[in-house]
Amino acid sequence: MTTMHVRARAVVRDLTPYKPGKPIEEVQRELKLSSVIKLASNENALGPSPRALAAVRKAAAQVHRYPESSCPLLRERLATRLKVSPDSLIFGNGSDELIVLALRAFVDPGDSVVVGAPTFLIYELQARACGAQVSVVPLAHYRYDLKAMAAAVTPHTKLVFIANPDNPAGTYVTRKELDLFLRNLPAETIAFLDEAYYEFVDSPDYPQTLQYLERRPLIVTRSFSKAYGLAGLRVGYGVAAPDLVAAMEAVREPFNVNSLAQAGAAAALEDAAFLAKTRKMTAEGRAYLTQEFDRLKIRHVPSVTNFILLDVGPGAAELAQALLKRGVIVREMSGWHLPQCLRVTIGTMPENRRFIQALKQCLTR
Amino acid sequence: MTTMHVRARAVVRDLTPYKPGKPIEEVQRELKLSSVIKLASNENALGPSPRALAAVRKAAAQVHRYPESSCPLLRERLATRLKVSPDSLIFGNGSDELIVLALRAFVDPGDSVVVGAPTFLIYELQARACGAQVSVVPLAHYRYDLKAMAAAVTPHTKLVFIANPDNPAGTYVTRKELDLFLRNLPAETIAFLDEAYYEFVDSPDYPQTLQYLERRPLIVTRSFSKAYGLAGLRVGYGVAAPDLVAAMEAVREPFNVNSLAQAGAAAALEDAAFLAKTRKMTAEGRAYLTQEFDRLKIRHVPSVTNFILLDVGPGAAELAQALLKRGVIVREMSGWHLPQCLRVTIGTMPENRRFIQALKQCLTR
């Protein structure tokens, strides 16, 4: 790792960079494996939505043109689908970017931001890059502890980030819990609800947060990377009151969402069959894996998402390495300060079986 | 325009948003025109590089996977091509994003940034969003005034932005001018050289800036949007000393460059025939348009790029509107405080002729 230039901002020199999951190509190159399955980045094992793929290939002929800055087709379809006004929507280069836009729109250096742990690492990293004071509130039993988060909010708190469901825990905050939290949150503080895994959740007490939008400052973000299978294209969206959207729009780069992502996402929204198939595959895989983990007496966190967090005890990193040698990429969690844990993405049934088989082999040795 | 939320940062509330050129689809929708040509956004009239297009369509099948964060194939090819070390490169969601990454890596609120005018508007907009004090130094006779810019540099100046060639002027800073400027620039100040139109420049005294990289803090950025015809994909690159790159990497979102952009750009680099064809079309179109402007006695700035800035006098916005009704989109320049000017992108020869014909009709009326 190169040393950072001395003229870098002090807050930047202190950052710990995010370390992404290994790409399949990299593992194949490094280990010279012919067949590798990747269950490390919560991608959709079915591939991209076929309708999206067709739209992307068609739109490719026009990539010499700049994208339309306002994402008009995608905006119109999504506004209709969500029953919100078009100016309540903002699009990002993945929903990651919406985190950065919210921070840059609302958080001055010295302001406070409240985040959970373990959770999506970009909230804290980018908040620190903005010079924010970050209060990190541990999850309790792998669930967001909204009471403790409420206690961490001060008059200087501009944003509270809640991943619902959480990544990497896979758990969710209930409607009742969120109601109480939002009722007591000061009106000066914006709640940022990251719902990247929204489409996977079946639980009846999972909150439908768009209902809160008119009541208080709230930003809800979702992604086309997971359930719609478009991680490589980079497109996510935020829903918020138009005045909050206007502030984020002011710091947005004009062509942040590429034209193929716009075409793909707009088509994916119409691909109900693919979404249904994805949800079915995920539910079946989750049931299968949960049952196998129980049999193997591996502690695991009940998940409402397309991934499961495992507590395998000491030697988790070595286990991940042993699985890698068998061509199965899972995520070791030391970057989240969970050295005993692995996170595994639910794949197709053949992938899930191959993972369990490899896991059994590794555990026997 | 929606009012911005009162909780937006003061520096954000003061921003004037960037207004992109009108997309063809929007003009067709609004004016119900069957044939529209767009000469407004300095796009490549030949379309995308055919090799890039083939690579994009092939890579599309894997868009359910996250992009490789480090852009390995593109990085390797570009490092070889430019004869720089791979860790001297950073990739962005368009070269626009590299402007933001540099500002976020090096500029604290209250620091100073020096920019020209008229120039690419994003420097100033994003610098202000970072809370920087921005010194705006007017161009002299449509050329960067490096002496005046040097005089504007203070001990608090972290970044100086130089678009070379400039957009919208189309002019360039010579090697001799840049040499002198960089020799006297304090070592604490980073020079940011935006070379988005690099591939179009033929002038022998245009500086080859990669030679300066080891001598002083310098960031050089280029784009695949223009000469390579990939504006819709969003990919640009920066070249700088590895310690400067490391600081920008720290604030970069891990999946900022989508996987189709990576595949397309890597293939475009190998498409020498397309680049040669683009340069030839541009040179021919520039000669034709220049000659026609001279005949029509329209003042124009000598350009080394794929666009030309015209001073048409009072009524430029009306002229742009009249051209629009004839299906020709050019850029009116009030956003750059050049109300007498239009900027026209060099198109294919049929497009250039159609533009000149429409221009003549508009001027006669």
PDB file of all heavy atoms in Angstrom, chain A residues 308-334:
ATOM      1  N   ILE A 308     -26.260 -14.839   4.411  1.00  0.00           N
ATOM      2  CA  ILE A 308     -26.365 -15.299   5.792  1.00  0.00           C
ATOM      3  C   ILE A 308     -25.017 -15.092   6.478  1.00  0.00           C
ATOM      4  O   ILE A 308     -23.969 -15.416   5.911  1.00  0.00           O
ATOM      5  CB  ILE A 308     -26.765 -16.794   5.865  1.00  0.00           C
ATOM      6  CG1 ILE A 308     -28.103 -17.019   5.129  1.00  0.00           C
ATOM      7  CG2 ILE A 308     -26.879 -17.269   7.310  1.00  0.00           C
ATOM      8  CD1 ILE A 308     -28.558 -18.478   5.052  1.00  0.00           C
ATOM      9  N   LEU A 309     -25.060 -14.552   7.693  1.00  0.00           N
ATOM     10  CA  LEU A 309     -23.852 -14.361   8.487  1.00  0.00           C
ATOM     11  C   LEU A 309     -23.666 -15.573   9.397  1.00  0.00           C
ATOM     12  O   LEU A 309     -24.585 -15.967  10.123  1.00  0.00           O
ATOM     13  CB  LEU A 309     -23.978 -13.078   9.322  1.00  0.00           C
ATOM     14  CG  LEU A 309     -22.716 -12.643  10.075  1.00  0.00           C
ATOM     15  CD1 LEU A 309     -21.614 -12.195   9.103  1.00  0.00           C
ATOM     16  CD2 LEU A 309     -23.044 -11.509  11.057  1.00  0.00           C
ATOM     17  N   LEU A 310     -22.476 -16.169   9.327  1.00  0.00           N
ATOM     18  CA  LEU A 310     -22.158 -17.363  10.114  1.00  0.00           C
ATOM     19  C   LEU A 310     -21.130 -17.016  11.170  1.00  0.00           C
ATOM     20  O   LEU A 310     -20.166 -16.299  10.875  1.00  0.00           O
ATOM     21  CB  LEU A 310     -21.535 -18.439   9.213  1.00  0.00           C
ATOM     22  CG  LEU A 310     -22.243 -18.761   7.911  1.00  0.00           C
ATOM     23  CD1 LEU A 310     -21.443 -19.812   7.135  1.00  0.00           C
ATOM     24  CD2 LEU A 310     -23.643 -19.265   8.201  1.00  0.00           C
ATOM     25  N   ASP A 311     -21.302 -17.545  12.361  1.00  0.00           N
ATOM     26  CA  ASP A 311     -20.268 -17.438  13.380  1.00  0.00           C
ATOM     27  C   ASP A 311     -19.614 -18.812  13.489  1.00  0.00           C
ATOM     28  O   ASP A 311     -20.157 -19.729  14.102  1.00  0.00           O
ATOM     29  CB  ASP A 311     -20.892 -17.014  14.716  1.00  0.00           C
ATOM     30  CG  ASP A 311     -19.844 -16.907  15.819  1.00  0.00           C
ATOM     31  OD1 ASP A 311     -18.690 -17.351  15.614  1.00  0.00           O
ATOM     32  OD2 ASP A 311     -20.197 -16.388  16.894  1.00  0.00           O
ATOM     33  N   VAL A 312     -18.458 -18.948  12.841  1.00  0.00           N
ATOM     34  CA  VAL A 312     -17.815 -20.265  12.779  1.00  0.00           C
ATOM     35  C   VAL A 312     -16.734 -20.412  13.850  1.00  0.00           C
ATOM     36  O   VAL A 312     -16.043 -21.421  13.911  1.00  0.00           O
ATOM     37  CB  VAL A 312     -17.199 -20.538  11.384  1.00  0.00           C
ATOM     38  CG1 VAL A 312     -18.292 -20.567  10.327  1.00  0.00           C
ATOM     39  CG2 VAL A 312     -16.132 -19.506  11.036  1.00  0.00           C
ATOM     40  N   GLY A 313     -16.568 -19.363  14.666  1.00  0.00           N
ATOM     41  CA  GLY A 313     -15.560 -19.438  15.728  1.00  0.00           C
ATOM     42  C   GLY A 313     -14.174 -19.089  15.227  1.00  0.00           C
ATOM     43  O   GLY A 313     -14.006 -18.615  14.097  1.00  0.00           O
ATOM     44  N   PRO A 314     -13.154 -19.329  16.075  1.00  0.00           N
ATOM     45  CA  PRO A 314     -11.789 -18.976  15.684  1.00  0.00           C
ATOM     46  C   PRO A 314     -11.405 -19.687  14.384  1.00  0.00           C
ATOM     47  O   PRO A 314     -11.856 -20.794  14.120  1.00  0.00           O
ATOM     48  CB  PRO A 314     -10.934 -19.489  16.853  1.00  0.00           C
ATOM     49  CG  PRO A 314     -11.881 -19.668  18.002  1.00  0.00           C
ATOM     50  CD  PRO A 314     -13.210 -19.980  17.393  1.00  0.00           C
ATOM     51  N   GLY A 315     -10.599 -19.035  13.595  1.00  0.00           N
ATOM     52  CA  GLY A 315     -10.141 -19.662  12.356  1.00  0.00           C
ATOM     53  C   GLY A 315     -11.059 -19.408  11.178  1.00  0.00           C
ATOM     54  O   GLY A 315     -10.990 -20.114  10.170  1.00  0.00           O
ATOM     55  N   ALA A 316     -11.894 -18.383  11.289  1.00  0.00           N
ATOM     56  CA  ALA A 316     -12.820 -18.100  10.181  1.00  0.00           C
ATOM     57  C   ALA A 316     -12.056 -17.725   8.902  1.00  0.00           C
ATOM     58  O   ALA A 316     -12.415 -18.163   7.805  1.00  0.00           O
ATOM     59  CB  ALA A 316     -13.788 -16.987  10.577  1.00  0.00           C
ATOM     60  N   ALA A 317     -10.997 -16.922   9.058  1.00  0.00           N
ATOM     61  CA  ALA A 317     -10.239 -16.497   7.882  1.00  0.00           C
ATOM     62  C   ALA A 317      -9.598 -17.705   7.196  1.00  0.00           C
ATOM     63  O   ALA A 317      -9.579 -17.793   5.959  1.00  0.00           O
ATOM     64  CB  ALA A 317      -9.169 -15.476   8.280  1.00  0.00           C
ATOM     65  N   GLU A 318      -9.099 -18.645   8.015  1.00  0.00           N
ATOM     66  CA  GLU A 318      -8.489 -19.853   7.453  1.00  0.00           C
ATOM     67  C   GLU A 318      -9.557 -20.685   6.732  1.00  0.00           C
ATOM     68  O   GLU A 318      -9.296 -21.266   5.671  1.00  0.00           O
ATOM     69  CB  GLU A 318      -7.825 -20.703   8.545  1.00  0.00           C
ATOM     70  CG  GLU A 318      -6.583 -20.084   9.171  1.00  0.00           C
ATOM     71  CD  GLU A 318      -6.887 -18.924  10.127  1.00  0.00           C
ATOM     72  OE1 GLU A 318      -8.077 -18.741  10.514  1.00  0.00           O
ATOM     73  OE2 GLU A 318      -5.946 -18.179  10.462  1.00  0.00           O
ATOM     74  N   LEU A 319     -10.738 -20.740   7.314  1.00  0.00           N
ATOM     75  CA  LEU A 319     -11.827 -21.484   6.673  1.00  0.00           C
ATOM     76  C   LEU A 319     -12.180 -20.853   5.315  1.00  0.00           C
ATOM     77  O   LEU A 319     -12.358 -21.567   4.314  1.00  0.00           O
ATOM     78  CB  LEU A 319     -13.057 -21.515   7.601  1.00  0.00           C
ATOM     79  CG  LEU A 319     -14.289 -22.255   7.082  1.00  0.00           C
ATOM     80  CD1 LEU A 319     -13.980 -23.694   6.676  1.00  0.00           C
ATOM     81  CD2 LEU A 319     -15.410 -22.237   8.132  1.00  0.00           C
ATOM     82  N   ALA A 320     -12.232 -19.528   5.298  1.00  0.00           N
ATOM     83  CA  ALA A 320     -12.518 -18.841   4.030  1.00  0.00           C
ATOM     84  C   ALA A 320     -11.451 -19.181   2.991  1.00  0.00           C
ATOM     85  O   ALA A 320     -11.761 -19.421   1.816  1.00  0.00           O
ATOM     86  CB  ALA A 320     -12.586 -17.328   4.253  1.00  0.00           C
ATOM     87  N   GLN A 321     -10.206 -19.239   3.437  1.00  0.00           N
ATOM     88  CA  GLN A 321      -9.098 -19.552   2.540  1.00  0.00           C
ATOM     89  C   GLN A 321      -9.204 -20.996   2.031  1.00  0.00           C
ATOM     90  O   GLN A 321      -8.970 -21.269   0.846  1.00  0.00           O
ATOM     91  CB  GLN A 321      -7.779 -19.328   3.294  1.00  0.00           C
ATOM     92  CG  GLN A 321      -6.562 -19.156   2.404  1.00  0.00           C
ATOM     93  CD  GLN A 321      -6.696 -18.030   1.382  1.00  0.00           C
ATOM     94  OE1 GLN A 321      -7.284 -16.997   1.670  1.00  0.00           O
ATOM     95  NE2 GLN A 321      -6.184 -18.260   0.169  1.00  0.00           N
ATOM     96  N   ALA A 322      -9.594 -21.910   2.925  1.00  0.00           N
ATOM     97  CA  ALA A 322      -9.744 -23.316   2.537  1.00  0.00           C
ATOM     98  C   ALA A 322     -10.886 -23.484   1.529  1.00  0.00           C
ATOM     99  O   ALA A 322     -10.781 -24.261   0.568  1.00  0.00           O
ATOM    100  CB  ALA A 322      -9.993 -24.171   3.780  1.00  0.00           C
ATOM    101  N   LEU A 323     -11.961 -22.733   1.729  1.00  0.00           N
ATOM    102  CA  LEU A 323     -13.080 -22.765   0.777  1.00  0.00           C
ATOM    103  C   LEU A 323     -12.634 -22.209  -0.575  1.00  0.00           C
ATOM    104  O   LEU A 323     -12.994 -22.739  -1.627  1.00  0.00           O
ATOM    105  CB  LEU A 323     -14.260 -21.954   1.316  1.00  0.00           C
ATOM    106  CG  LEU A 323     -15.045 -22.605   2.459  1.00  0.00           C
ATOM    107  CD1 LEU A 323     -15.951 -21.577   3.153  1.00  0.00           C
ATOM    108  CD2 LEU A 323     -15.884 -23.786   1.948  1.00  0.00           C
ATOM    109  N   LEU A 324     -11.831 -21.166  -0.528  1.00  0.00           N
ATOM    110  CA  LEU A 324     -11.332 -20.533  -1.749  1.00  0.00           C
ATOM    111  C   LEU A 324     -10.554 -21.546  -2.581  1.00  0.00           C
ATOM    112  O   LEU A 324     -10.715 -21.609  -3.807  1.00  0.00           O
ATOM    113  CB  LEU A 324     -10.426 -19.358  -1.365  1.00  0.00           C
ATOM    114  CG  LEU A 324     -10.167 -18.287  -2.425  1.00  0.00           C
ATOM    115  CD1 LEU A 324     -11.464 -17.616  -2.850  1.00  0.00           C
ATOM    116  CD2 LEU A 324      -9.205 -17.222  -1.884  1.00  0.00           C
ATOM    117  N   LYS A 325      -9.742 -22.360  -1.908  1.00  0.00           N
ATOM    118  CA  LYS A 325      -8.947 -23.364  -2.631  1.00  0.00           C
ATOM    119  C   LYS A 325      -9.830 -24.414  -3.280  1.00  0.00           C
ATOM    120  O   LYS A 325      -9.409 -25.101  -4.202  1.00  0.00           O
ATOM    121  CB  LYS A 325      -7.945 -24.021  -1.680  1.00  0.00           C
ATOM    122  CG  LYS A 325      -6.768 -23.097  -1.391  1.00  0.00           C
ATOM    123  CD  LYS A 325      -5.715 -23.756  -0.528  1.00  0.00           C
ATOM    124  CE  LYS A 325      -4.621 -22.746  -0.182  1.00  0.00           C
ATOM    125  NZ  LYS A 325      -3.964 -23.066   1.090  1.00  0.00           N
ATOM    126  N   ARG A 326     -11.051 -24.540  -2.753  1.00  0.00           N
ATOM    127  CA  ARG A 326     -12.028 -25.441  -3.371  1.00  0.00           C
ATOM    128  C   ARG A 326     -12.925 -24.694  -4.361  1.00  0.00           C
ATOM    129  O   ARG A 326     -13.953 -25.221  -4.802  1.00  0.00           O
ATOM    130  CB  ARG A 326     -12.861 -26.117  -2.289  1.00  0.00           C
ATOM    131  CG  ARG A 326     -12.089 -27.217  -1.571  1.00  0.00           C
ATOM    132  CD  ARG A 326     -12.818 -27.761  -0.367  1.00  0.00           C
ATOM    133  NE  ARG A 326     -12.097 -28.919   0.158  1.00  0.00           N
ATOM    134  CZ  ARG A 326     -10.979 -28.829   0.889  1.00  0.00           C
ATOM    135  NH1 ARG A 326     -10.479 -27.645   1.173  1.00  0.00           N
ATOM    136  NH2 ARG A 326     -10.369 -29.922   1.323  1.00  0.00           N
ATOM    137  N   GLY A 327     -12.548 -23.459  -4.668  1.00  0.00           N
ATOM    138  CA  GLY A 327     -13.287 -22.705  -5.680  1.00  0.00           C
ATOM    139  C   GLY A 327     -14.563 -22.055  -5.196  1.00  0.00           C
ATOM    140  O   GLY A 327     -15.431 -21.704  -5.990  1.00  0.00           O
ATOM    141  N   VAL A 328     -14.680 -21.867  -3.876  1.00  0.00           N
ATOM    142  CA  VAL A 328     -15.877 -21.211  -3.334  1.00  0.00           C
ATOM    143  C   VAL A 328     -15.449 -19.928  -2.625  1.00  0.00           C
ATOM    144  O   VAL A 328     -14.725 -19.978  -1.625  1.00  0.00           O
ATOM    145  CB  VAL A 328     -16.624 -22.135  -2.345  1.00  0.00           C
ATOM    146  CG1 VAL A 328     -17.849 -21.406  -1.789  1.00  0.00           C
ATOM    147  CG2 VAL A 328     -17.036 -23.436  -3.031  1.00  0.00           C
ATOM    148  N   ILE A 329     -15.884 -18.786  -3.165  1.00  0.00           N
ATOM    149  CA  ILE A 329     -15.529 -17.498  -2.551  1.00  0.00           C
ATOM    150  C   ILE A 329     -16.632 -17.077  -1.587  1.00  0.00           C
ATOM    151  O   ILE A 329     -17.781 -16.896  -1.995  1.00  0.00           O
ATOM    152  CB  ILE A 329     -15.368 -16.384  -3.600  1.00  0.00           C
ATOM    153  CG1 ILE A 329     -14.632 -16.895  -4.860  1.00  0.00           C
ATOM    154  CG2 ILE A 329     -14.646 -15.184  -3.015  1.00  0.00           C
ATOM    155  CD1 ILE A 329     -14.526 -15.841  -5.961  1.00  0.00           C
ATOM    156  N   VAL A 330     -16.297 -16.974  -0.298  1.00  0.00           N
ATOM    157  CA  VAL A 330     -17.225 -16.370   0.666  1.00  0.00           C
ATOM    158  C   VAL A 330     -16.491 -15.171   1.270  1.00  0.00           C
ATOM    159  O   VAL A 330     -15.311 -14.954   1.000  1.00  0.00           O
ATOM    160  CB  VAL A 330     -17.652 -17.364   1.774  1.00  0.00           C
ATOM    161  CG1 VAL A 330     -18.371 -18.570   1.173  1.00  0.00           C
ATOM    162  CG2 VAL A 330     -16.460 -17.790   2.618  1.00  0.00           C
ATOM    163  N   ARG A 331     -17.183 -14.400   2.104  1.00  0.00           N
ATOM    164  CA  ARG A 331     -16.566 -13.180   2.628  1.00  0.00           C
ATOM    165  C   ARG A 331     -16.092 -13.387   4.042  1.00  0.00           C
ATOM    166  O   ARG A 331     -16.892 -13.753   4.910  1.00  0.00           O
ATOM    167  CB  ARG A 331     -17.609 -12.048   2.589  1.00  0.00           C
ATOM    168  CG  ARG A 331     -17.037 -10.648   2.697  1.00  0.00           C
ATOM    169  CD  ARG A 331     -16.228 -10.324   1.459  1.00  0.00           C
ATOM    170  NE  ARG A 331     -15.839  -8.929   1.410  1.00  0.00           N
ATOM    171  CZ  ARG A 331     -16.602  -7.966   0.914  1.00  0.00           C
ATOM    172  NH1 ARG A 331     -17.789  -8.237   0.419  1.00  0.00           N
ATOM    173  NH2 ARG A 331     -16.176  -6.728   0.895  1.00  0.00           N
ATOM    174  N   GLU A 332     -14.796 -13.185   4.278  1.00  0.00           N
ATOM    175  CA  GLU A 332     -14.341 -13.206   5.672  1.00  0.00           C
ATOM    176  C   GLU A 332     -14.550 -11.805   6.228  1.00  0.00           C
ATOM    177  O   GLU A 332     -14.511 -10.817   5.481  1.00  0.00           O
ATOM    178  CB  GLU A 332     -12.901 -13.710   5.781  1.00  0.00           C
ATOM    179  CG  GLU A 332     -11.843 -12.875   5.133  1.00  0.00           C
ATOM    180  CD  GLU A 332     -11.271 -11.854   6.091  1.00  0.00           C
ATOM    181  OE1 GLU A 332     -11.469 -12.018   7.303  1.00  0.00           O
ATOM    182  OE2 GLU A 332     -10.652 -10.883   5.628  1.00  0.00           O
ATOM    183  N   MET A 333     -14.807 -11.709   7.539  1.00  0.00           N
ATOM    184  CA  MET A 333     -15.409 -10.493   8.061  1.00  0.00           C
ATOM    185  C   MET A 333     -14.496  -9.665   8.962  1.00  0.00           C
ATOM    186  O   MET A 333     -14.977  -8.864   9.765  1.00  0.00           O
ATOM    187  CB  MET A 333     -16.701 -10.859   8.820  1.00  0.00           C
ATOM    188  CG  MET A 333     -17.738 -11.588   7.977  1.00  0.00           C
ATOM    189  SD  MET A 333     -18.238 -10.643   6.500  1.00  0.00           S
ATOM    190  CE  MET A 333     -19.164  -9.318   7.290  1.00  0.00           C
ATOM    191  N   SER A 334     -13.182  -9.830   8.820  1.00  0.00           N
ATOM    192  CA  SER A 334     -12.289  -9.083   9.718  1.00  0.00           C
ATOM    193  C   SER A 334     -12.431  -7.572   9.504  1.00  0.00           C
ATOM    194  O   SER A 334     -12.301  -6.799  10.452  1.00  0.00           O
ATOM    195  CB  SER A 334     -10.839  -9.531   9.535  1.00  0.00           C
ATOM    196  OG  SER A 334     -10.446  -9.346   8.192  1.00  0.00           O
TER     197      SER A 334
END
